[in-house]
Amino acid sequence: MKVIIAAAGTGGHINPGIAIANKIKEEEKESEIIFIGTNRGLENDLVPRAGYELKTIEAYAFANCTDLKKVNWGSNLSTIGYYAFRNCGFENVKIPESCYTIGDCAFYGTSLTSITIPEGVTSIGLETFSACSSLTSVTFGEN
């Protein structure tokens, strides 16, 4: 089983996530569990200390980089944070297979005309493509 646990900020979110991960591992030892969080919260200490991997693309990471036209995603990206690419100059995007979550407003206001989203994406946030007035093509599951 592959599991993604999104928990960030305070121990009130992270510790229950770790408890759930531990229970899953207890029941299904071969399970793959990763955590999604930020670089600023307690998850940076607590999640690795508990033996789990933490992946991030920070909120607003590339916001307003209007000349940004292309990203080499690599093979380990699991989540795209909220507003991560707001108002960027992208026209065509192919989300990598490794990605499971696209956060709220992640591509808000971009110049997108087309996007391909792999079938493994299980969550697309609110207004992810809001204000993308040139977006004419969205493809799901073609990778």
Side-chain angles (χ1 to χ4, degrees):
M1 172 187 326
K2 291 184 178 183
V3 178
I4 296 175
I5 298 173
T10 66
H13 295 113
I14 301 159
N15 289 325
I18 291 171
I20 290 168
N22 290 341
K23 183 65 174 172
I24 291 169
K25 280 294 213 182
E26 180 183 308
E27 299 289 323
E28 293 192 36
K29 295 189 184 337
E30 300 301 315
S31 292
E32 296 176 35
I33 300 172
I34 61 169
F35 279 74
I36 306 302
T38 70
N39 287 327
R40 294 182 296 260
L42 292 176
E43 63 272 21
N44 283 299
D45 176 46
L46 298 175
V47 171
R49 192 170 359 141
Y52 297 104
E53 183 178 5
L54 175 67
K55 295 191 180 246
T56 67
I57 286 186
E58 283 298 312
Y60 298 94
F62 301 98
N64 300 315
C65 293
T66 56
D67 290 334
L68 181 61
K69 305 285 187 206
K70 184 178 179 183
V71 172
N72 180 354
W73 301 99
S75 61
N76 292 317
L77 176 70
S78 59
T79 190
I80 299 172
Y82 63 94
Y83 289 102
F85 296 101
R86 178 184 181 187
N87 296 328
C88 287
F90 291 126
E91 291 180 6
N92 302 294
V93 170
K94 186 174 183 178
I95 304 296
E97 288 287 332
S98 59
C99 187
Y100 296 97
T101 304
I102 302 171
D104 295 349
C105 303
F107 293 96
Y108 181 96
T110 61
S111 302
L112 279 176
T113 58
S114 68
I115 187 162
T116 302
I117 301 168
E119 63 185 54
V121 171
T122 58
S123 175
I124 298 174
L126 296 170
E127 299 188 48
T128 297
F129 304 105
S130 184
C132 293
S133 58
S134 299
L135 185 59
T136 59
S137 174
V138 177
T139 305
F140 292 94
E142 180 190 288
N143 278 342

